[in-house]
Amino acid sequence: MKILYFAWLRERVGTGEEDVTLPDGISTLAGLIAWLRTRSPGHEAAFAAGKLVRAAVNQDFATPDAHVANGDEVAFFPPVTGG
Amino acid sequence: MKILYFAWLRERVGTGEEDVTLPDGISTLAGLIAWLRTRSPGHEAAFAAGKLVRAAVNQDFATPDAHVANGDEVAFFPPVTGG
Amino acid sequence: MACIRVQTRDIDVGAELAAVSAGRTDIGGVASFVGLVRGTAAGRPILSMTLEHYPGMTERAMTGIADAATRRFQLQACTLIHRVGELHPGETIVLVLAAAPHRQAALDGCAFLIDWLKTSAPFWKKEAFLDGTSAWVDARETDDLAASKWSSIEIA
Amino acid sequence: MACIRVQTRDIDVGAELAAVSAGRTDIGGVASFVGLVRGTAAGRPILSMTLEHYPGMTERAMTGIADAATRRFQLQACTLIHRVGELHPGETIVLVLAAAPHRQAALDGCAFLIDWLKTSAPFWKKEAFLDGTSAWVDARETDDLAASKWSSIEIA
């Protein structure tokens, strides 16, 4: 699955995009985040911001209980600040 | 004093501007209107619209009890419809 | 910082907007309203619309409205341009611009200015219809209501 | 009738406004909001501001907002243009246009669009200060409140 990072999440993780294979047993956004945090200190630093991290699954805003599967595009970013 | 007419008041009176000398004893806008109505059938037709006539004395919106004197600029017009 | 004009020529909205913010970096937002001549009135096709004003008093009224909006919404700049003379469907009648550090003041200032301009500035419209007739436009009660909402907020 | 764009180049407000009303005589008013880069943030001088977006999702979100506004305010046309990349103080960040037969719908549609654009479209701003430091802009609670007032009206 494709994982995208924006703004300061991108800077902390160190990349804007990575391709990962979802481990068996993970099927929710919350599970995906818990697993991604273990991938590097940068990932851990990005997700440590907790409540300030927003997510989208296949370009729709998503909550932690959202279903995720290989083939999905999942993005993580801070609260939006455009306009 | 200078009297100005705008929009359909101008069309009914037949002129946009006239110079008049205020007769003795008239000192309010209401008195001026009563006198102007007697000047021609066109004036009468213009002021017959009654509540639809607005007025300004020296370029400020004015009510019937407003004081008027020779030297003033008095204008009559319908409710505004700009914008 | 108010720009007030009554003119027969067309209004260049881009140029007016640029003029408001030229050389400044303190403005956060500019809200605007552009009024256009519609092709029909109460379903009847219009050939043209002629706008008349009261030279002198009209500009004074517009200046008064601009000053009131500037004080009330702490505007950094505002522009009121109203056309007069004969206009045709699709043409611009009026432009209002309100600039402020943040968007809510700019949006509110713009709405205030156009509401008051419609109810308090001495302009009169006459519509010429395609069938050869013409008629002065009647003042609309909804316009007076739109302007009066600002007064009640001011008192509250 | 919605025009949605994310672009790096400057926004020509006059041209976008002309495009909305070109060849039409049914539009009575066009309300707009232009957002500009201010020269300071919390009192600190800014050198530049860099805007990032999520290609694909951002345009989808903007289209969704435009469709919602069009339905809700019966807009005849609307335009949402947001810039990305490096911008400098005084430059235009965003343009919103809302066209309707009467002014209130245009004004309300415009306010709705900019409130939602600020709270729901995936854009992120980073400010570079004159002193060499830089920081991502925090989301402001007042923006969420401005957008939420529309939801409560919808329910009422």
Side-chain angles (χ1 to χ4, degrees), chain B residues 7 10-11 60 73 78 81 83, chain C residues 52 54 82 123-124 126 136:
Chain B
R10 173 176 49 73
E11 292 178 341
D60 281 320
E73 174 179 302
T81 57
Chain C
E52 184 172 324
Y54 181 174
H82 205 298
F123 289 97
W124 302 277
K126 189 177 195 173
W136 291 94

Side-chain angles (χ1 to χ4, degrees), chain C residues 67-148:
Chain C
D67 289 349
T70 298
R71 277 194 308 273
R72 176 169 183 157
F73 300 100
Q74 301 277 299
L75 301 181
Q76 294 170 307
C78 72
T79 298
L80 271 74
I81 302 176
H82 205 298
R83 288 177 75 190
V84 290
E86 185 177 319
L87 304 178
H88 297 90
E91 284 195 81
T92 300
I93 306 174
V94 64
L95 167 68
V96 164
L97 291 177
H102 297 287
R103 76 182 182 287
Q104 199 57 53
L107 292 167
D108 289 345
C110 175
F112 174 92
L113 284 168
I114 188 64
D115 282 351
W116 274 107
L117 196 54
K118 283 197 166 257
T119 52
S120 304
F123 289 97
W124 302 277
K125 279 176 191 156
K126 189 177 195 173
E127 290 166 335
F129 296 96
L130 218 53
D131 62 13
T133 62
S134 66
W136 291 94
V137 175
D138 285 332
R140 296 195 313 161
E141 203 180 337
T142 51
D143 285 337
D144 280 333
L145 288 173
S148 70

Side-chain angles (χ1 to χ4, degrees), chain A residues 5-7 10, chain D residues 50-54 84-85 122-125 136:
Chain A
Y5 302 98
F6 294 96
R10 174 176 50 72
Chain D
T50 302
L51 279 128
E52 183 171 326
H53 77 304
Y54 180 174
V84 291
F123 289 97
W124 302 276
K125 279 177 192 154
W136 291 95

Side-chain angles (χ1 to χ4, degrees), chain C residues 7-76:
Chain C
Q7 64 186 44
T8 53
R9 70 177 186 281
D10 196 11
I11 301 170
D12 183 339
V13 179
E16 299 302 337
L17 188 71
V20 158
S21 60
R24 302 181 66 153
T25 58
D26 57 335
I27 295 175
V30 184
S32 77
F33 179 82
V34 171
L36 302 166
V37 180
R38 285 191 294 155
T40 56
R44 298 172 66 198
I46 280 178
L47 189 64
S48 68
M49 173 177 278
T50 302
L51 279 128
E52 184 172 324
H53 76 302
Y54 181 174
M57 181 173 173
T58 302
E59 291 82 353
R60 276 184 59 179
M62 290 168 76
T63 302
I65 292 167
D67 289 349
T70 298
R71 277 194 308 273
R72 176 169 183 157
F73 300 100
Q74 301 277 299
L75 301 181
Q76 294 170 307

Side-chain angles (χ1 to χ4, degrees), chain B residues 29 53-58 60-68 77, chain C residues 57:
Chain B
L29 192 55
V53 177
R54 300 285 183 271
V57 175
N58 297 324
D60 281 320
F61 287 105
T63 47
D65 59 342
H67 184 77
V68 294
F77 42 78
Chain C
M57 181 173 173

Side-chain angles (χ1 to χ4, degrees), chain D residues 79-145:
Chain D
T79 298
L80 271 74
I81 303 176
H82 205 298
R83 289 178 74 191
V84 291
E86 186 177 318
L87 304 178
H88 298 90
E91 283 194 81
T92 301
I93 305 174
V94 63
L95 167 68
V96 163
L97 291 177
H102 297 286
R103 75 181 182 289
Q104 199 58 53
L107 292 167
D108 288 346
C110 175
F112 174 92
L113 284 167
I114 188 65
D115 282 351
W116 274 108
L117 196 55
K118 282 195 167 259
T119 52
S120 303
F123 289 97
W124 302 276
K125 279 177 192 154
K126 188 177 195 174
E127 291 166 336
F129 297 95
L130 216 54
D131 62 14
T133 62
S134 66
W136 291 95
V137 175
D138 284 331
R140 296 196 312 161
E141 200 180 339
T142 53
D143 284 335
D144 281 331
L145 287 174

Side-chain angles (χ1 to χ4, degrees), chain D residues 29-80:
Chain D
V30 184
S32 77
F33 180 82
V34 170
L36 303 166
V37 180
R38 286 192 294 155
T40 56
R44 296 173 66 199
I46 279 179
L47 188 65
S48 68
M49 172 177 280
T50 302
L51 279 128
E52 183 171 326
H53 77 304
Y54 180 174
M57 181 174 174
T58 302
E59 292 82 354
R60 278 183 59 179
M62 290 167 78
T63 302
I65 291 166
D67 289 348
T70 298
R71 278 194 308 273
R72 177 171 181 154
F73 301 100
Q74 301 277 297
L75 301 181
Q76 295 170 307
C78 72
T79 298
L80 271 74

